[in-house]
């Protein structure tokens, strides 16, 4: 018997970052939107914990116990006094190290797949608690839709979304390490008073209305200057998407994937074609939002 769980990627339509905390994390006002690019995690009983991965970026995925999906299985097994003897197979479609929470998606997927396979019936609250221990973005990968994340991003409030938003994601050649981008944020803000992060009411209203033009006017990412500083060629990708008619262009999370909000599905196809033709990215993917969270197939 096997259990397969489908889990979405995310884009941050607002990522407001506060100053570094004593624990090294940053307080955030993080507006997550789940998008229709998915990984699938399949859990099958096995003699010992084993990870395999397929997909165009599979070579970049660690297959040992440092993989967040492996850590999720171990954390769940420990809670229930079980051995984490499971084969986790990841069918990977979310860009790796791209700022789209692909590793977090795999962790949330592995958690739900193992809980279902083992019949451990862990409560939603307890699953969310384990998610938060695994990483700041993992709780959102479990719930999907749209949510405001505060604290280090792990405390979630679900948000209303009044329509479908159409995105293009330009996948860069190479990845960025999230801690390195936060480190660069700290370096760039040295000597500057970093304000408390707060969610933008205009942005929340635009999401609730399903108004793409209003959302485009309100998106922001405080990590963008740091990501561009470490990966300067992303400026060319952002410019190419804007020139192709995107309503908004921004770095997705800590990057280096860039995100383009478009008017409709046709607009997304046109922007994707133009980005591919521009030669400023490795590939371009279209995806609608919002998307459901981790789902057992
Ligand atoms: O929580 P997660 O493991 O995804 O975080 C990865 C790294 O990103 C952290 O070690 C920290 O350097 C940085 N981070 C941060 N503030 C946050 C979330 C992540 O500084 N709110």
């Amino acid at each position: 018997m096997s259990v397969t769980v489908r889990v979405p990627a995310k884009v941050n339509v607002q990522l407001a970052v506060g100053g570094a905390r004593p624990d090294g994390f940053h307080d955030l006002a993080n507006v997550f939107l789940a998008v229709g690019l998915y990984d699938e995690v399949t859990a099958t009983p096995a003699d010992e914990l084993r990870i395999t991965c397929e997909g165009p970026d599979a070579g970049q995925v660690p297959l040992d116990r440092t993989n967040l999906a492996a850590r999720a299985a171990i954390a769940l097994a420990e809670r229930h006094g079980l051995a984490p003897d499971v084969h986790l197979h990841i069918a990977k479609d979310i860009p790796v190290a791209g700022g789209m929470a692909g590793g977090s998606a795999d962790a949330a997927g592995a958690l739900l797949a193992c809980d279902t396979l083992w019949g451990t019936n862990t409560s939603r609250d307890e699953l969310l608690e384990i998610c938060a221990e695994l990483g700041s973005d993992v709780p959102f990968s479990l719930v999907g839709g749209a949510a405001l994340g505060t604290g280090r991003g792990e405390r979630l409030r679900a948000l209303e979304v009044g329509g479908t938003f159409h995105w293009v994601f330009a996948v860069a050649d190479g990845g960025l390490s999230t801690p390195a981008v936060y480190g660069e944020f700290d370096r760039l803000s040295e000597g500057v008073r970093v304000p408390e992060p707060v969610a933008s009411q205009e942005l929340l209203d635009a999401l609730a209305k399903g108004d793409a033009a209003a959302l485009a006017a309100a998106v922001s990412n405080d990590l963008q200057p740091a990501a561009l500083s470490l990966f300067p060629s992303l400026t060319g990708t952002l410019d190419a998407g804007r020139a192709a008619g995107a309503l908004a262009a921004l770095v997705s999370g800590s990057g280096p994937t860039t995100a383009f909000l478009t008017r409709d599905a046709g607009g997304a196809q046109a922007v994707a074609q133009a980005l591919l033709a521009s030669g400023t990215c490795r590939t371009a993917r279209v995806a609608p939002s919002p998307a459901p969270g981790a789902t057992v197939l």
Side-chain angles (χ1 to χ4, degrees):
M1 187 204 139
S2 291
V3 176
T4 298
V5 172
R6 192 178 78 153
V7 208
K10 61 85 183 162
V11 63
N12 308 86
V13 283
Q14 184 186 4
L15 185 45
V17 182
R21 313 192 309 203
D23 66 0
F25 284 90
H26 296 70
D27 276 320
L28 305 177
N30 190 351
V31 182
F32 292 104
L33 186 59
V35 301
L37 289 180
Y38 301 94
D39 282 358
E40 285 182 12
V41 181
T42 300
T44 311
D47 291 337
E48 58 180 0
L49 179 59
R50 192 160 78 88
I51 308 270
T52 53
C53 184
E54 68 174 271
D57 294 345
Q60 300 166 50
V61 175
L63 300 179
D64 58 14
R65 289 180 175 225
T66 63
N67 188 302
L68 218 46
R71 289 177 42 206
I74 292 167
L76 183 71
E78 268 175 7
R79 289 229 172 189
H80 296 285
L82 301 171
D85 294 337
V86 67
H87 171 203
L88 295 172
H89 180 70
I90 303 168
K92 183 149 264 313
D93 197 37
I94 303 174
V96 176
M100 297 193 74
S104 301
D106 300 344
L111 200 57
L112 187 57
C114 289
D115 191 49
T116 308
L117 182 71
W118 297 338
T120 33
N121 287 318
T122 313
S123 71
R124 191 76 170 169
D125 280 352
E126 210 176 337
L127 286 176
L128 285 169
E129 214 175 276
I130 301 171
C131 286
E133 284 165 15
L134 293 166
S136 309
D137 289 349
V138 182
F140 180 73
S141 297
L142 187 73
V143 303
L148 170 62
T150 53
R152 60 185 165 85
E154 87 286 14
R155 289 206 304 264
L156 297 178
R157 172 162 74 82
L159 295 174
E160 194 191 328
V161 184
T164 303
F165 295 103
H166 297 273
W167 294 90
V168 181
F169 296 96
V171 181
D173 237 329
L176 273 175
S177 128
T178 303
V181 176
Y182 275 101
E184 183 68 358
F185 172 88
D186 291 339
R187 196 184 69 78
L188 293 175
S189 48
E190 243 171 90
V192 179
R193 202 193 67 81
V194 179
E196 286 293 302
V198 277
S200 147
Q201 193 56 50
E202 290 75 24
L203 182 118
L204 301 184
D205 291 346
L207 275 179
K209 280 198 204 121
D211 183 336
L215 182 62
V219 294
S220 68
N221 179 0
D222 287 354
L223 290 182
Q224 182 157 316
L228 294 180
S229 167
L230 296 176
F231 211 125
S233 65
L234 295 181
T235 305
T237 320
L238 293 171
D239 288 345
R242 282 191 201 101
L247 300 176
L250 75 164
V251 170
S252 178
S254 56
T257 304
T258 41
F260 303 87
L261 180 59
T262 61
R263 204 172 301 282
D264 50 29
Q269 289 295 345
V271 169
Q273 296 280 328
L275 279 166
L276 276 176
S278 75
T280 61
C281 57
R282 180 155 63 86
T283 178
R285 308 282 311 272
V286 301
S289 67
T295 307
V296 178
L297 296 182

